Amino acid sequence: MPTKKICSIVIPCYNEEDNVMQLYSELKKLSIPEHISLKLLYVDDNSEDDTWPRICELSRADSSVSGIKLTRNYGHQAALQAGLREAGGDAVITMDADLQHPPSCIPRMIECWEDGANVVNMIRKPDPTLPVFKRVSSSLFYKTFRFLTRLSLNDGQSDFRLFDSFALSGILQFQEKCIFLRGIVCLLGTKQESLEFIPAARQYGETKYTLPKMLRLALNASISFSAFPLRLGFFIGIICISFAFIYVIYAFGIRIIIYPENIQHGWASLVVLISFLFGSQFLYMSIMGEYIIRIFNECKNRPTYIVEGKTSSVGKS
Ligand code: UDP
Ligand code: MG
């Protein structure tokens, strides 16, 4: 009998005791091609409720279920990273525990993967039932992110996606500590396909993305993918110095010649001096910024490139 392909499903959970079982039974109902076997990996992000005992219970009853528990609440992105490192197989799917990512999409994702996609991104269709604040803040975040990074991150991009083993090995080469997976996937290259889905309502419990967590994610995503804020000093510096030069021409050229009687001594030189010094300071800060950008990039230790293929002659002398 030919060996089955393994597709692991990574599910980060934080206080999802009621969703763990529900998601399990939904996943078990799926009609998956015979030659594929699903494995479930729950990542407990240090829940305070009975999430972990439920995962352990499931794992004892079904050998295709396993779990890892983190020592404290590291956040969704870190929990996903932990799951991706732990999961093996020919493909890995990441999805939320609350059933907002409909399990019924999984057969389509697998089909797309078998047709040759390295990554299958699931794009959330606009959801009119979401609170206005969440819709506005999310759209604002994606717009700012695109402006700052020039990466084409779709408004509805979610962390519901499939990686084949090649894309997964690429993702695991990104060693950074404050990871923003949606951004990393944009840097990955490889053959990526997108499918749309209609998000379901959260099954049990409340959102675990509190406002501070959302702000931290947005800040982390923007800072780790864009050096623009550090380069802003350059533009402010140029504006201040240009203003100083224009004011010199205005004050000493036009005003002294045309209205010499109105001149207040010292005023113009003060304005010019302050603008020039501020401008120079900003310019110097932007030079320091360039060094910090380089240190930051080195610290992130991102792969410089990912090799897609090699001819058979590589390595033979
Ligand atoms: N989650 C996590 N750690 C956290 C916050 C959330 O593992 O600190 C998990 C959560 O259990 C869920 C997924 O991340 O499976 C997405 O969170 P949630 O559904 O609360 O976010 P929302 O859909 O409201 O944006
Ligand atoms: Mg959710």
Side-chain angles (χ1 to χ4, degrees):
M1 204 175 84
T3 50
K4 285 189 170 194
K5 282 190 189 173
I6 293 178
C7 176
S8 302
I9 303 185
V10 169
I11 309 153
C13 307
Y14 180 53
N15 294 344
E16 305 281 8
E17 57 183 8
D18 295 316
N19 290 319
V20 166
M21 202 64 178
Q22 179 81 14
L23 180 61
Y24 170 79
S25 42
E26 293 289 327
L27 289 170
K28 284 287 156 179
K29 276 188 226 153
L30 291 178
S31 59
I32 300 291
E34 285 249 323
H35 62 282
I36 289 176
S37 131
L38 288 186
K39 295 220 179 289
L40 275 55
L41 174 65
Y42 288 95
V43 182
D44 179 10
D45 192 12
N46 204 254
S47 302
E48 288 127 26
D49 64 1
D50 277 344
T51 300
W52 181 242
R54 300 264 160 97
I55 295 171
C56 295
E57 204 180 300
L58 273 180
S59 163
R60 276 193 298 273
D62 182 342
S63 61
S64 68
V65 178
S66 51
I68 50 176
K69 182 176 167 70
L70 307 184
T71 54
R72 65 175 176 83
N73 180 231
Y74 291 91
H76 178 214
Q77 298 293 302
L80 279 173
Q81 201 177 18
L84 289 173
R85 283 193 184 137
E86 197 69 26
D90 302 284
V92 177
I93 292 175
T94 55
M95 72 188 297
D96 288 357
D98 57 3
L99 288 116
Q100 284 194 292
H101 297 161
S104 55
C105 295
I106 289 177
R108 274 199 298 149
M109 296 166 81
I110 290 181
E111 208 179 299
C112 214
W113 159 49
E114 294 214 285
D115 286 344
N118 298 116
V119 179
V120 184
N121 289 306
M122 298 304 286
I123 311 291
R124 195 176 46 225
K125 281 189 176 171
D127 179 7
T129 62
L130 266 186
V132 178
F133 175 72
K134 191 119 186 171
R135 264 185 287 157
V136 173
S137 56
S138 156
S139 150
L140 199 70
F141 164 68
Y142 282 107
K143 283 194 175 70
T144 317
F145 186 84
R146 280 195 295 267
F147 168 76
L148 288 175
T149 63
R150 308 281 163 212
L151 291 174
S152 55
L153 189 62
N154 194 299
D155 263 22
Q157 183 62 68
S158 65
D159 279 316
F160 185 19
R161 74 166 69 70
L162 178 148
F163 297 106
D164 75 348
S165 52
F166 173 65
L168 181 65
S169 71
I171 285 287
L172 295 180
Q173 289 181 44
F174 288 80
Q175 299 279 326
E176 56 203 84
K177 304 283 176 279
C178 299
I179 202 155
F180 177 60
L181 264 172
R182 274 162 267 185
I184 298 287
V185 172
C186 291
L187 301 181
L188 193 61
T190 71
K191 188 167 184 279
Q192 305 206 8
E193 295 291 343
S194 294
L195 300 174
E196 286 192 322
F197 76 99
I198 301 171
R202 181 174 245 283
Q203 204 70 9
Y204 295 104
E206 288 176 347
T207 175
K208 308 301 172 324
Y209 259 105
T210 53
L211 187 62
K213 275 188 182 173
M214 261 162 60
L215 289 175
R216 211 176 309 139
L217 179 75
L219 186 70
N220 176 32
S222 309
I223 299 282
S224 62
F225 278 85
S226 170
F228 181 75
L230 274 173
R231 293 202 163 116
L232 210 59
F234 175 78
F235 300 105
I236 300 175
I238 293 288
I239 291 170
C240 288
I241 289 181
S242 310
F243 175 77
F245 276 110
I246 292 167
Y247 203 80
V248 164
I249 296 167
Y250 167 73
F252 295 103
I254 301 175
R255 287 210 53 186
I256 289 177
I257 295 165
I258 303 177
Y259 310 109
E261 69 284 2
N262 286 345
I263 288 293
Q264 281 180 339
H265 292 287
W267 167 251
S269 22
L270 214 62
V271 169
V272 169
L273 201 67
I274 290 175
S275 316
F276 185 78
L277 286 180
F278 260 120
S280 315
Q281 231 169 19
F282 272 113
L283 274 187
Y284 194 66
M285 266 159 56
S286 76
I287 294 173
M288 293 202 301
E290 289 300 322
Y291 282 91
I292 297 173
I293 291 167
R294 276 151 191 80
I295 296 168
F296 187 44
N297 286 340
E298 292 297 326
C299 287
K300 279 188 285 191
N301 203 14
R302 284 183 178 164
T304 323
Y305 53 81
I306 295 170
V307 178
E308 181 155 340
K310 288 181 184 174
T311 64
S312 52
S313 54
V314 172
K316 290 181 192 162
S317 51

